[in-house]
Structure formats: C-alpha cells, structure tokens
Amino acid sequence: TGSGKTFTLAGIIDILREALPSGGGRWRVSALEVAGNAVTDLLHASARCVLRDDAGRCTRAVLLPARESAAEADAAGEVGAEPSSSGAPCLLVGSAAEAIDAIVDAARRRSTHRTGVHDASSRTHAVYQLEPVDSEGTGRGAGGRLCLTLVDLAGSEWARDQVSHERARRKEAQEVNASLSALKACLAARASGVRLPARDTALTRLLRGPLEGEGRMVLIATVSPSSADAEHALDTLSHVGLPVRTVAGGAGGGGGGGAGGGG
C-alpha cells in the first residue's frame, strides 16, 4: 500500500493514449471494481454484477437488473440472478481516445480511504479492458478476440499495518489479502504447469482468460524505497520473481493482460 501502483498504471494509460491509433474505429471498454467477491461496474454508477462462466475458459461479468435488491441478489446467487437488458457491463465508443477517457473517468470512482499508510489508499482491485470491435460490435483479432486487460491491484497489508484501522478498513484489508494470496497461487501454478485455482475468488475468476488462455502477461511490481518497508519489498519481489510459464500459443492473439503488483 502506498508504493505507487495506481500512479504507475495512470502513467501506462497516458502512454496508451499516445500509442493507440487516433483515427476512427469503435472500441469496447469496461471498468470493474472488485471488493472481496463483490463486483461492481465503475462505468454505470457502480451497478452490481454477477459472474458467469462462458463456453470457453473465460468468466464474464453481467449487470444485475436495477430492480433486483442486494439481498435478492445474494439470496439468488450466480444461478438465479438474471442479467439486465444491457447484459455485459461495457461501453461502445467511437475511438481509442474516448475509450481511454472512459477508463480515466471510471478510475476516479474507485473506492479509496485514508489509512495509517496512505491518505487515499485503494481498498479494491480495478480491472479495465480495451477491445477494438468492428461495425457490428464484434471483437477483432485472431479468433475474433483481441483484448488488453489492465489490472490495478490493491496493496497487501500485514497485521501490524492494520493496528490503527477501524473495523471496516480491517475487513477490506482481509479481503484484499485473501484475493492477492489466491492470485499468487494462480501465478505459482502457472509457473509450474499445474491446474490453476482460478475459481477461488472473484478477482482470479475475472482474470481466468489472461491466466489460463492464450496471450501475454506483464506483471509490474512497485516497492517503496523506505527502509521501513524493506520486508514488504522483499515479499513482493519474491512473488513477482516467479517464472511465468508460457501457455501454448502464448504469442498469438488473445486476452493479453497487465497486472499492477503489490507493495
């Protein structure tokens, strides 16, 4: 927490603004916030979503109907909750620049709170996706799927970091730590070529495509230069140093992903 993950991703988004084509062409963009196993859509007033597995290896978020209360959604679970008429939580925009603007605007709505470490600490994970589409809204690229996934992870916090937290902040920290542990387990499984425990959390379910499917993954770790954070830095580096095994066909077109590391 407080090592510069969100700041780094903001810089990457600025680079994308300059690098992506400036001409016409439609793009599909989505921005999801993950808090524990709760998923909300930052592009649509933080509307609640449920996760559905598609016919392949990916998990999709689906908007809940506005009339469905939170209690009804929890009681119905993933099977009973029906998607809204708009279905997937995304926007179709007319250019790459508009897609970047939508992500920047969504990032401002992400949940932050003051903690003992950071004045505006991210208390959730954010998953952004950019995908070029044709005139009918169909994804382009190899296999009809060419997608860039950007992930801004919330930072891990040890027990001693939470001493001054109120109850709500401690609960958030526990949820963040649990999801980061699940993601680390997936990275370790990918490195050793064994089955990924991707269904353990909402975060890893959303990232099943980049974790299990074709594509390229870049993991960026941020660490604090302060000697007081040396243990955090070493712990972060021990996990991002895992060799990430290349999935068969990894250089082909697919759901590529980038993840901001802990710290």
PDB file of all heavy atoms in Angstrom, residues 80-122:
ATOM      1  N   GLY A  80     -29.478 -17.768  -9.970  1.00  0.00           N
ATOM      2  CA  GLY A  80     -30.788 -17.158 -10.016  1.00  0.00           C
ATOM      3  C   GLY A  80     -30.832 -15.740 -10.524  1.00  0.00           C
ATOM      4  O   GLY A  80     -31.854 -15.296 -11.019  1.00  0.00           O
ATOM      5  N   ALA A  81     -29.722 -15.011 -10.415  1.00  0.00           N
ATOM      6  CA  ALA A  81     -29.730 -13.607 -10.807  1.00  0.00           C
ATOM      7  C   ALA A  81     -29.697 -13.493 -12.323  1.00  0.00           C
ATOM      8  O   ALA A  81     -28.817 -14.025 -12.975  1.00  0.00           O
ATOM      9  CB  ALA A  81     -28.524 -12.885 -10.204  1.00  0.00           C
ATOM     10  N   GLU A  82     -30.672 -12.804 -12.909  1.00  0.00           N
ATOM     11  CA  GLU A  82     -30.759 -12.673 -14.356  1.00  0.00           C
ATOM     12  C   GLU A  82     -30.038 -11.400 -14.827  1.00  0.00           C
ATOM     13  O   GLU A  82     -30.050 -10.388 -14.132  1.00  0.00           O
ATOM     14  CB  GLU A  82     -32.218 -12.599 -14.799  1.00  0.00           C
ATOM     15  CG  GLU A  82     -32.973 -13.905 -14.581  1.00  0.00           C
ATOM     16  CD  GLU A  82     -32.373 -15.051 -15.385  1.00  0.00           C
ATOM     17  OE1 GLU A  82     -31.916 -14.816 -16.519  1.00  0.00           O
ATOM     18  OE2 GLU A  82     -32.351 -16.179 -14.860  1.00  0.00           O
ATOM     19  N   PRO A  83     -29.415 -11.431 -15.977  1.00  0.00           N
ATOM     20  CA  PRO A  83     -28.745 -10.234 -16.488  1.00  0.00           C
ATOM     21  C   PRO A  83     -29.743  -9.163 -16.881  1.00  0.00           C
ATOM     22  O   PRO A  83     -30.886  -9.452 -17.218  1.00  0.00           O
ATOM     23  CB  PRO A  83     -27.987 -10.753 -17.716  1.00  0.00           C
ATOM     24  CG  PRO A  83     -28.758 -11.952 -18.150  1.00  0.00           C
ATOM     25  CD  PRO A  83     -29.302 -12.564 -16.886  1.00  0.00           C
ATOM     26  N   SER A  84     -29.293  -7.929 -16.828  1.00  0.00           N
ATOM     27  CA  SER A  84     -30.147  -6.836 -17.276  1.00  0.00           C
ATOM     28  C   SER A  84     -30.188  -6.827 -18.802  1.00  0.00           C
ATOM     29  O   SER A  84     -29.469  -7.554 -19.461  1.00  0.00           O
ATOM     30  CB  SER A  84     -29.577  -5.502 -16.775  1.00  0.00           C
ATOM     31  OG  SER A  84     -28.342  -5.249 -17.410  1.00  0.00           O
ATOM     32  N   SER A  85     -31.035  -5.978 -19.356  1.00  0.00           N
ATOM     33  CA  SER A  85     -31.173  -5.931 -20.814  1.00  0.00           C
ATOM     34  C   SER A  85     -29.872  -5.519 -21.481  1.00  0.00           C
ATOM     35  O   SER A  85     -29.606  -5.884 -22.628  1.00  0.00           O
ATOM     36  CB  SER A  85     -32.284  -4.952 -21.202  1.00  0.00           C
ATOM     37  OG  SER A  85     -32.000  -3.655 -20.695  1.00  0.00           O
ATOM     38  N   SER A  86     -29.030  -4.739 -20.772  1.00  0.00           N
ATOM     39  CA  SER A  86     -27.771  -4.300 -21.374  1.00  0.00           C
ATOM     40  C   SER A  86     -26.701  -5.372 -21.288  1.00  0.00           C
ATOM     41  O   SER A  86     -25.679  -5.281 -21.963  1.00  0.00           O
ATOM     42  CB  SER A  86     -27.274  -3.018 -20.688  1.00  0.00           C
ATOM     43  OG  SER A  86     -27.099  -3.235 -19.305  1.00  0.00           O
ATOM     44  N   GLY A  87     -26.924  -6.411 -20.468  1.00  0.00           N
ATOM     45  CA  GLY A  87     -26.002  -7.538 -20.409  1.00  0.00           C
ATOM     46  C   GLY A  87     -24.652  -7.169 -19.845  1.00  0.00           C
ATOM     47  O   GLY A  87     -24.524  -6.787 -18.690  1.00  0.00           O
ATOM     48  N   ALA A  88     -23.625  -7.296 -20.674  1.00  0.00           N
ATOM     49  CA  ALA A  88     -22.263  -7.068 -20.203  1.00  0.00           C
ATOM     50  C   ALA A  88     -22.053  -5.615 -19.793  1.00  0.00           C
ATOM     51  O   ALA A  88     -22.548  -4.701 -20.445  1.00  0.00           O
ATOM     52  CB  ALA A  88     -21.274  -7.445 -21.299  1.00  0.00           C
ATOM     53  N   PRO A  89     -21.322  -5.383 -18.694  1.00  0.00           N
ATOM     54  CA  PRO A  89     -21.048  -4.020 -18.240  1.00  0.00           C
ATOM     55  C   PRO A  89     -19.936  -3.389 -19.065  1.00  0.00           C
ATOM     56  O   PRO A  89     -18.764  -3.476 -18.723  1.00  0.00           O
ATOM     57  CB  PRO A  89     -20.625  -4.226 -16.787  1.00  0.00           C
ATOM     58  CG  PRO A  89     -20.010  -5.600 -16.779  1.00  0.00           C
ATOM     59  CD  PRO A  89     -20.764  -6.399 -17.797  1.00  0.00           C
ATOM     60  N   CYS A  90     -20.293  -2.754 -20.164  1.00  0.00           N
ATOM     61  CA  CYS A  90     -19.287  -2.150 -21.026  1.00  0.00           C
ATOM     62  C   CYS A  90     -19.883  -0.976 -21.780  1.00  0.00           C
ATOM     63  O   CYS A  90     -21.095  -0.754 -21.771  1.00  0.00           O
ATOM     64  CB  CYS A  90     -18.727  -3.177 -22.011  1.00  0.00           C
ATOM     65  SG  CYS A  90     -19.951  -3.820 -23.173  1.00  0.00           S
ATOM     66  N   LEU A  91     -19.012  -0.212 -22.422  1.00  0.00           N
ATOM     67  CA  LEU A  91     -19.429   0.880 -23.285  1.00  0.00           C
ATOM     68  C   LEU A  91     -18.829   0.669 -24.670  1.00  0.00           C
ATOM     69  O   LEU A  91     -17.698   0.185 -24.794  1.00  0.00           O
ATOM     70  CB  LEU A  91     -18.931   2.221 -22.739  1.00  0.00           C
ATOM     71  CG  LEU A  91     -19.542   2.773 -21.454  1.00  0.00           C
ATOM     72  CD1 LEU A  91     -18.827   4.067 -21.066  1.00  0.00           C
ATOM     73  CD2 LEU A  91     -21.035   3.011 -21.609  1.00  0.00           C
ATOM     74  N   LEU A  92     -19.574   1.017 -25.704  1.00  0.00           N
ATOM     75  CA  LEU A  92     -19.041   1.058 -27.062  1.00  0.00           C
ATOM     76  C   LEU A  92     -18.798   2.524 -27.416  1.00  0.00           C
ATOM     77  O   LEU A  92     -19.710   3.337 -27.354  1.00  0.00           O
ATOM     78  CB  LEU A  92     -20.019   0.429 -28.058  1.00  0.00           C
ATOM     79  CG  LEU A  92     -20.106  -1.099 -28.045  1.00  0.00           C
ATOM     80  CD1 LEU A  92     -21.205  -1.574 -28.992  1.00  0.00           C
ATOM     81  CD2 LEU A  92     -18.772  -1.712 -28.438  1.00  0.00           C
ATOM     82  N   VAL A  93     -17.560   2.855 -27.748  1.00  0.00           N
ATOM     83  CA  VAL A  93     -17.204   4.248 -28.029  1.00  0.00           C
ATOM     84  C   VAL A  93     -16.599   4.333 -29.431  1.00  0.00           C
ATOM     85  O   VAL A  93     -16.231   3.323 -30.033  1.00  0.00           O
ATOM     86  CB  VAL A  93     -16.215   4.800 -26.984  1.00  0.00           C
ATOM     87  CG1 VAL A  93     -16.876   4.842 -25.618  1.00  0.00           C
ATOM     88  CG2 VAL A  93     -14.945   3.949 -26.936  1.00  0.00           C
ATOM     89  N   GLY A  94     -16.481   5.553 -29.938  1.00  0.00           N
ATOM     90  CA  GLY A  94     -16.113   5.749 -31.319  1.00  0.00           C
ATOM     91  C   GLY A  94     -14.630   5.883 -31.606  1.00  0.00           C
ATOM     92  O   GLY A  94     -14.241   6.013 -32.761  1.00  0.00           O
ATOM     93  N   SER A  95     -13.789   5.857 -30.578  1.00  0.00           N
ATOM     94  CA  SER A  95     -12.349   5.983 -30.818  1.00  0.00           C
ATOM     95  C   SER A  95     -11.579   5.475 -29.607  1.00  0.00           C
ATOM     96  O   SER A  95     -12.127   5.339 -28.508  1.00  0.00           O
ATOM     97  CB  SER A  95     -11.966   7.446 -31.088  1.00  0.00           C
ATOM     98  OG  SER A  95     -12.149   8.224 -29.909  1.00  0.00           O
ATOM     99  N   ALA A  96     -10.278   5.232 -29.805  1.00  0.00           N
ATOM    100  CA  ALA A  96      -9.417   4.803 -28.705  1.00  0.00           C
ATOM    101  C   ALA A  96      -9.324   5.896 -27.643  1.00  0.00           C
ATOM    102  O   ALA A  96      -9.278   5.615 -26.445  1.00  0.00           O
ATOM    103  CB  ALA A  96      -8.038   4.438 -29.233  1.00  0.00           C
ATOM    104  N   ALA A  97      -9.302   7.154 -28.083  1.00  0.00           N
ATOM    105  CA  ALA A  97      -9.211   8.266 -27.131  1.00  0.00           C
ATOM    106  C   ALA A  97     -10.421   8.297 -26.212  1.00  0.00           C
ATOM    107  O   ALA A  97     -10.298   8.541 -25.004  1.00  0.00           O
ATOM    108  CB  ALA A  97      -9.083   9.594 -27.887  1.00  0.00           C
ATOM    109  N   GLU A  98     -11.618   8.047 -26.769  1.00  0.00           N
ATOM    110  CA  GLU A  98     -12.823   8.008 -25.940  1.00  0.00           C
ATOM    111  C   GLU A  98     -12.774   6.841 -24.963  1.00  0.00           C
ATOM    112  O   GLU A  98     -13.259   6.952 -23.830  1.00  0.00           O
ATOM    113  CB  GLU A  98     -14.060   7.902 -26.829  1.00  0.00           C
ATOM    114  CG  GLU A  98     -14.371   9.157 -27.620  1.00  0.00           C
ATOM    115  CD  GLU A  98     -15.628   8.989 -28.463  1.00  0.00           C
ATOM    116  OE1 GLU A  98     -16.556   8.286 -28.029  1.00  0.00           O
ATOM    117  OE2 GLU A  98     -15.685   9.560 -29.563  1.00  0.00           O
ATOM    118  N   ALA A  99     -12.200   5.715 -25.389  1.00  0.00           N
ATOM    119  CA  ALA A  99     -12.075   4.559 -24.502  1.00  0.00           C
ATOM    120  C   ALA A  99     -11.153   4.878 -23.326  1.00  0.00           C
ATOM    121  O   ALA A  99     -11.452   4.550 -22.174  1.00  0.00           O
ATOM    122  CB  ALA A  99     -11.544   3.353 -25.282  1.00  0.00           C
ATOM    123  N   ILE A 100     -10.038   5.543 -23.613  1.00  0.00           N
ATOM    124  CA  ILE A 100      -9.109   5.939 -22.544  1.00  0.00           C
ATOM    125  C   ILE A 100      -9.775   6.928 -21.594  1.00  0.00           C
ATOM    126  O   ILE A 100      -9.642   6.834 -20.363  1.00  0.00           O
ATOM    127  CB  ILE A 100      -7.829   6.552 -23.153  1.00  0.00           C
ATOM    128  CG1 ILE A 100      -7.037   5.495 -23.922  1.00  0.00           C
ATOM    129  CG2 ILE A 100      -6.971   7.171 -22.060  1.00  0.00           C
ATOM    130  CD1 ILE A 100      -6.504   4.365 -23.075  1.00  0.00           C
ATOM    131  N   ASP A 101     -10.515   7.884 -22.143  1.00  0.00           N
ATOM    132  CA  ASP A 101     -11.228   8.857 -21.306  1.00  0.00           C
ATOM    133  C   ASP A 101     -12.209   8.154 -20.375  1.00  0.00           C
ATOM    134  O   ASP A 101     -12.365   8.546 -19.208  1.00  0.00           O
ATOM    135  CB  ASP A 101     -11.979   9.861 -22.178  1.00  0.00           C
ATOM    136  CG  ASP A 101     -11.056  10.861 -22.858  1.00  0.00           C
ATOM    137  OD1 ASP A 101      -9.906  11.011 -22.393  1.00  0.00           O
ATOM    138  OD2 ASP A 101     -11.485  11.485 -23.847  1.00  0.00           O
ATOM    139  N   ALA A 102     -12.892   7.110 -20.885  1.00  0.00           N
ATOM    140  CA  ALA A 102     -13.852   6.377 -20.062  1.00  0.00           C
ATOM    141  C   ALA A 102     -13.158   5.680 -18.905  1.00  0.00           C
ATOM    142  O   ALA A 102     -13.667   5.654 -17.772  1.00  0.00           O
ATOM    143  CB  ALA A 102     -14.603   5.356 -20.928  1.00  0.00           C
ATOM    144  N   ILE A 103     -11.978   5.110 -19.151  1.00  0.00           N
ATOM    145  CA  ILE A 103     -11.230   4.434 -18.087  1.00  0.00           C
ATOM    146  C   ILE A 103     -10.744   5.431 -17.040  1.00  0.00           C
ATOM    147  O   ILE A 103     -10.833   5.188 -15.832  1.00  0.00           O
ATOM    148  CB  ILE A 103     -10.048   3.651 -18.685  1.00  0.00           C
ATOM    149  CG1 ILE A 103     -10.564   2.408 -19.411  1.00  0.00           C
ATOM    150  CG2 ILE A 103      -9.046   3.256 -17.603  1.00  0.00           C
ATOM    151  CD1 ILE A 103      -9.482   1.571 -20.049  1.00  0.00           C
ATOM    152  N   VAL A 104     -10.240   6.561 -17.500  1.00  0.00           N
ATOM    153  CA  VAL A 104      -9.769   7.593 -16.559  1.00  0.00           C
ATOM    154  C   VAL A 104     -10.927   8.071 -15.681  1.00  0.00           C
ATOM    155  O   VAL A 104     -10.772   8.240 -14.460  1.00  0.00           O
ATOM    156  CB  VAL A 104      -9.141   8.772 -17.334  1.00  0.00           C
ATOM    157  CG1 VAL A 104      -8.859   9.942 -16.392  1.00  0.00           C
ATOM    158  CG2 VAL A 104      -7.859   8.323 -18.023  1.00  0.00           C
ATOM    159  N   ASP A 105     -12.092   8.281 -16.278  1.00  0.00           N
ATOM    160  CA  ASP A 105     -13.261   8.724 -15.522  1.00  0.00           C
ATOM    161  C   ASP A 105     -13.701   7.647 -14.531  1.00  0.00           C
ATOM    162  O   ASP A 105     -14.046   7.945 -13.391  1.00  0.00           O
ATOM    163  CB  ASP A 105     -14.398   9.056 -16.490  1.00  0.00           C
ATOM    164  CG  ASP A 105     -15.590   9.683 -15.788  1.00  0.00           C
ATOM    165  OD1 ASP A 105     -15.393  10.670 -15.049  1.00  0.00           O
ATOM    166  OD2 ASP A 105     -16.715   9.189 -15.964  1.00  0.00           O
ATOM    167  N   ALA A 106     -13.672   6.389 -14.960  1.00  0.00           N
ATOM    168  CA  ALA A 106     -14.063   5.292 -14.072  1.00  0.00           C
ATOM    169  C   ALA A 106     -13.116   5.173 -12.886  1.00  0.00           C
ATOM    170  O   ALA A 106     -13.539   4.900 -11.755  1.00  0.00           O
ATOM    171  CB  ALA A 106     -14.099   3.981 -14.856  1.00  0.00           C
ATOM    172  N   ALA A 107     -11.825   5.385 -13.127  1.00  0.00           N
ATOM    173  CA  ALA A 107     -10.829   5.252 -12.061  1.00  0.00           C
ATOM    174  C   ALA A 107     -11.079   6.246 -10.930  1.00  0.00           C
ATOM    175  O   ALA A 107     -10.766   5.970  -9.768  1.00  0.00           O
ATOM    176  CB  ALA A 107      -9.426   5.438 -12.641  1.00  0.00           C
ATOM    177  N   ARG A 108     -11.656   7.391 -11.252  1.00  0.00           N
ATOM    178  CA  ARG A 108     -11.945   8.399 -10.223  1.00  0.00           C
ATOM    179  C   ARG A 108     -13.040   7.917  -9.260  1.00  0.00           C
ATOM    180  O   ARG A 108     -13.164   8.451  -8.155  1.00  0.00           O
ATOM    181  CB  ARG A 108     -12.379   9.712 -10.875  1.00  0.00           C
ATOM    182  CG  ARG A 108     -11.314  10.366 -11.745  1.00  0.00           C
ATOM    183  CD  ARG A 108     -11.738  11.781 -12.119  1.00  0.00           C
ATOM    184  NE  ARG A 108     -10.791  12.417 -13.022  1.00  0.00           N
ATOM    185  CZ  ARG A 108     -10.974  12.552 -14.329  1.00  0.00           C
ATOM    186  NH1 ARG A 108     -12.108  12.132 -14.874  1.00  0.00           N
ATOM    187  NH2 ARG A 108     -10.065  13.128 -15.096  1.00  0.00           N
ATOM    188  N   ARG A 109     -13.851   6.950  -9.699  1.00  0.00           N
ATOM    189  CA  ARG A 109     -14.954   6.467  -8.860  1.00  0.00           C
ATOM    190  C   ARG A 109     -14.540   5.298  -7.962  1.00  0.00           C
ATOM    191  O   ARG A 109     -15.358   4.804  -7.189  1.00  0.00           O
ATOM    192  CB  ARG A 109     -16.121   6.027  -9.747  1.00  0.00           C
ATOM    193  CG  ARG A 109     -16.644   7.109 -10.676  1.00  0.00           C
ATOM    194  CD  ARG A 109     -17.952   6.670 -11.336  1.00  0.00           C
ATOM    195  NE  ARG A 109     -18.397   7.638 -12.318  1.00  0.00           N
ATOM    196  CZ  ARG A 109     -18.260   7.497 -13.626  1.00  0.00           C
ATOM    197  NH1 ARG A 109     -17.700   6.395 -14.104  1.00  0.00           N
ATOM    198  NH2 ARG A 109     -18.683   8.418 -14.466  1.00  0.00           N
ATOM    199  N   ARG A 110     -13.332   4.860  -8.093  1.00  0.00           N
ATOM    200  CA  ARG A 110     -12.872   3.710  -7.318  1.00  0.00           C
ATOM    201  C   ARG A 110     -12.807   4.054  -5.830  1.00  0.00           C
ATOM    202  O   ARG A 110     -12.507   5.183  -5.444  1.00  0.00           O
ATOM    203  CB  ARG A 110     -11.490   3.301  -7.817  1.00  0.00           C
ATOM    204  CG  ARG A 110     -10.993   1.982  -7.269  1.00  0.00           C
ATOM    205  CD  ARG A 110      -9.698   1.633  -7.945  1.00  0.00           C
ATOM    206  NE  ARG A 110      -9.022   0.551  -7.275  1.00  0.00           N
ATOM    207  CZ  ARG A 110      -7.734   0.304  -7.427  1.00  0.00           C
ATOM    208  NH1 ARG A 110      -7.009   1.076  -8.221  1.00  0.00           N
ATOM    209  NH2 ARG A 110      -7.183  -0.706  -6.787  1.00  0.00           N
ATOM    210  N   SER A 111     -13.086   3.069  -4.999  1.00  0.00           N
ATOM    211  CA  SER A 111     -13.148   3.280  -3.554  1.00  0.00           C
ATOM    212  C   SER A 111     -11.754   3.481  -2.961  1.00  0.00           C
ATOM    213  O   SER A 111     -10.856   2.647  -3.151  1.00  0.00           O
ATOM    214  CB  SER A 111     -13.808   2.070  -2.882  1.00  0.00           C
ATOM    215  OG  SER A 111     -13.808   2.207  -1.486  1.00  0.00           O
ATOM    216  N   THR A 112     -11.575   4.602  -2.268  1.00  0.00           N
ATOM    217  CA  THR A 112     -10.328   4.876  -1.545  1.00  0.00           C
ATOM    218  C   THR A 112     -10.670   5.392  -0.154  1.00  0.00           C
ATOM    219  O   THR A 112     -11.730   5.975   0.062  1.00  0.00           O
ATOM    220  CB  THR A 112      -9.451   5.924  -2.273  1.00  0.00           C
ATOM    221  OG1 THR A 112     -10.177   7.169  -2.352  1.00  0.00           O
ATOM    222  CG2 THR A 112      -9.075   5.453  -3.665  1.00  0.00           C
ATOM    223  N   HIS A 113      -9.757   5.170   0.788  1.00  0.00           N
ATOM    224  CA  HIS A 113      -9.945   5.677   2.153  1.00  0.00           C
ATOM    225  C   HIS A 113      -8.586   6.015   2.747  1.00  0.00           C
ATOM    226  O   HIS A 113      -7.560   5.462   2.345  1.00  0.00           O
ATOM    227  CB  HIS A 113     -10.641   4.631   3.035  1.00  0.00           C
ATOM    228  CG  HIS A 113     -12.090   4.432   2.707  1.00  0.00           C
ATOM    229  ND1 HIS A 113     -13.069   5.323   3.065  1.00  0.00           N
ATOM    230  CD2 HIS A 113     -12.718   3.434   2.031  1.00  0.00           C
ATOM    231  CE1 HIS A 113     -14.242   4.891   2.642  1.00  0.00           C
ATOM    232  NE2 HIS A 113     -14.054   3.745   2.013  1.00  0.00           N
ATOM    233  N   ARG A 114      -8.619   6.906   3.715  1.00  0.00           N
ATOM    234  CA  ARG A 114      -7.405   7.246   4.442  1.00  0.00           C
ATOM    235  C   ARG A 114      -7.033   6.104   5.384  1.00  0.00           C
ATOM    236  O   ARG A 114      -7.887   5.552   6.084  1.00  0.00           O
ATOM    237  CB  ARG A 114      -7.618   8.526   5.254  1.00  0.00           C
ATOM    238  CG  ARG A 114      -6.419   8.901   6.144  1.00  0.00           C
ATOM    239  CD  ARG A 114      -6.777  10.067   7.045  1.00  0.00           C
ATOM    240  NE  ARG A 114      -6.919  11.298   6.284  1.00  0.00           N
ATOM    241  CZ  ARG A 114      -5.920  12.124   6.002  1.00  0.00           C
ATOM    242  NH1 ARG A 114      -4.701  11.839   6.445  1.00  0.00           N
ATOM    243  NH2 ARG A 114      -6.126  13.218   5.317  1.00  0.00           N
ATOM    244  N   THR A 115      -5.771   5.729   5.381  1.00  0.00           N
ATOM    245  CA  THR A 115      -5.263   4.731   6.322  1.00  0.00           C
ATOM    246  C   THR A 115      -4.015   5.291   6.985  1.00  0.00           C
ATOM    247  O   THR A 115      -3.575   6.407   6.672  1.00  0.00           O
ATOM    248  CB  THR A 115      -4.904   3.409   5.605  1.00  0.00           C
ATOM    249  OG1 THR A 115      -3.768   3.633   4.752  1.00  0.00           O
ATOM    250  CG2 THR A 115      -6.075   2.896   4.777  1.00  0.00           C
ATOM    251  N   GLY A 116      -3.414   4.513   7.862  1.00  0.00           N
ATOM    252  CA  GLY A 116      -2.191   4.957   8.514  1.00  0.00           C
ATOM    253  C   GLY A 116      -1.008   5.012   7.582  1.00  0.00           C
ATOM    254  O   GLY A 116       0.031   5.595   7.900  1.00  0.00           O
ATOM    255  N   VAL A 117      -1.132   4.409   6.394  1.00  0.00           N
ATOM    256  CA  VAL A 117      -0.042   4.350   5.430  1.00  0.00           C
ATOM    257  C   VAL A 117      -0.223   5.351   4.299  1.00  0.00           C
ATOM    258  O   VAL A 117       0.738   5.915   3.799  1.00  0.00           O
ATOM    259  CB  VAL A 117       0.074   2.918   4.851  1.00  0.00           C
ATOM    260  CG1 VAL A 117       1.180   2.830   3.810  1.00  0.00           C
ATOM    261  CG2 VAL A 117       0.314   1.913   5.965  1.00  0.00           C
ATOM    262  N   HIS A 118      -1.483   5.587   3.902  1.00  0.00           N
ATOM    263  CA  HIS A 118      -1.744   6.373   2.692  1.00  0.00           C
ATOM    264  C   HIS A 118      -3.025   7.185   2.886  1.00  0.00           C
ATOM    265  O   HIS A 118      -3.995   6.688   3.448  1.00  0.00           O
ATOM    266  CB  HIS A 118      -1.897   5.419   1.498  1.00  0.00           C
ATOM    267  CG  HIS A 118      -1.777   6.075   0.164  1.00  0.00           C
ATOM    268  ND1 HIS A 118      -2.764   6.871  -0.353  1.00  0.00           N
ATOM    269  CD2 HIS A 118      -0.794   6.033  -0.771  1.00  0.00           C
ATOM    270  CE1 HIS A 118      -2.396   7.297  -1.552  1.00  0.00           C
ATOM    271  NE2 HIS A 118      -1.210   6.809  -1.830  1.00  0.00           N
ATOM    272  N   ASP A 119      -3.019   8.417   2.405  1.00  0.00           N
ATOM    273  CA  ASP A 119      -4.195   9.278   2.552  1.00  0.00           C
ATOM    274  C   ASP A 119      -5.351   8.852   1.647  1.00  0.00           C
ATOM    275  O   ASP A 119      -6.508   9.161   1.935  1.00  0.00           O
ATOM    276  CB  ASP A 119      -3.828  10.737   2.238  1.00  0.00           C
ATOM    277  CG  ASP A 119      -2.985  11.370   3.342  1.00  0.00           C
ATOM    278  OD1 ASP A 119      -2.955  10.793   4.451  1.00  0.00           O
ATOM    279  OD2 ASP A 119      -2.352  12.405   3.089  1.00  0.00           O
ATOM    280  N   ALA A 120      -5.030   8.209   0.531  1.00  0.00           N
ATOM    281  CA  ALA A 120      -6.077   7.774  -0.399  1.00  0.00           C
ATOM    282  C   ALA A 120      -5.753   6.357  -0.861  1.00  0.00           C
ATOM    283  O   ALA A 120      -5.481   6.099  -2.032  1.00  0.00           O
ATOM    284  CB  ALA A 120      -6.177   8.719  -1.589  1.00  0.00           C
ATOM    285  N   SER A 121      -5.782   5.444   0.082  1.00  0.00           N
ATOM    286  CA  SER A 121      -5.421   4.055  -0.194  1.00  0.00           C
ATOM    287  C   SER A 121      -6.530   3.353  -0.982  1.00  0.00           C
ATOM    288  O   SER A 121      -7.704   3.435  -0.629  1.00  0.00           O
ATOM    289  CB  SER A 121      -5.188   3.305   1.124  1.00  0.00           C
ATOM    290  OG  SER A 121      -4.949   1.936   0.905  1.00  0.00           O
ATOM    291  N   SER A 122      -6.161   2.657  -2.057  1.00  0.00           N
ATOM    292  CA  SER A 122      -7.142   1.871  -2.828  1.00  0.00           C
ATOM    293  C   SER A 122      -7.574   0.681  -1.983  1.00  0.00           C
ATOM    294  O   SER A 122      -6.745  -0.102  -1.530  1.00  0.00           O
ATOM    295  CB  SER A 122      -6.521   1.378  -4.137  1.00  0.00           C
ATOM    296  OG  SER A 122      -6.125   2.455  -4.946  1.00  0.00           O
TER     297      SER A 122
END
